[in-house]
Amino acid sequence: MASGCKETDQANATTSKAKACVQALNLAAMVPDYKNRERDADELQSRANRLRDLAGKVTDKEVGGAVGGLADQYAKSQRNKRETVETFATWVRDTVRNIDKLKQVCIS
């Protein structure tokens, strides 16, 4: 009986590839408003934390790495509140690249 409980706990502590992909893409659906970065800072940090947590739970390591990359991007934007338009554009470009990488590992 104890063995079955342990396996159930392990299953609950992990996330399937498909579920992780859907959750990560939903979390990545936010692009902060350049003019209102201060307003979006808490939400960006929350999404970064949720993505990082998801990256640690996903069973597929490639998906976990891609989700972790997205988490880093969201955390980076939250830290760079006084960035220039060019820096913000670079963040958007890099985030799109990370989303594309996630999509690729999700469909493979």
Side-chain angles (χ1 to χ4, degrees):
M1 198 57 119
S3 168
C5 292
K6 183 179 179 182
E7 290 171 5
T8 300
D9 289 343
Q10 286 175 341
N12 289 336
T14 61
T15 302
S16 72
K17 177 179 177 177
K19 186 175 180 181
C21 288
V22 170
Q23 288 177 350
L25 290 170
N26 282 331
L27 287 168
M30 177 195 179
V31 175
D33 181 354
Y34 175 75
K35 294 180 181 179
N36 295 303
R37 288 185 317 280
E38 293 290 331
R39 180 197 69 202
D40 292 341
D42 289 341
E43 180 62 23
L44 287 165
Q45 188 59 52
S46 172
R47 287 175 187 245
N49 292 341
R50 289 163 46 199
L51 284 163
R52 203 166 277 115
D53 183 55
L54 180 60
K57 290 181 179 177
V58 68
T59 54
D60 186 289
K61 296 301 177 195
E62 277 191 287
V63 172
V67 172
L70 279 173
D72 292 344
Q73 281 300 117
Y74 276 83
K76 181 179 178 182
S77 177
Q78 192 279 331
R79 287 191 307 266
N80 295 329
K81 295 174 191 156
R82 296 178 189 236
E83 62 198 6
T84 64
V85 172
E86 292 80 14
T87 305
F88 183 74
T90 299
W91 178 87
V92 171
R93 182 201 65 213
D94 292 345
T95 301
V96 169
R97 286 181 181 164
N98 281 321
I99 291 169
D100 287 344
K101 179 180 178 181
L102 176 64
K103 288 178 183 177
Q104 287 301 312
V105 297
C106 285
I107 61 173
S108 64

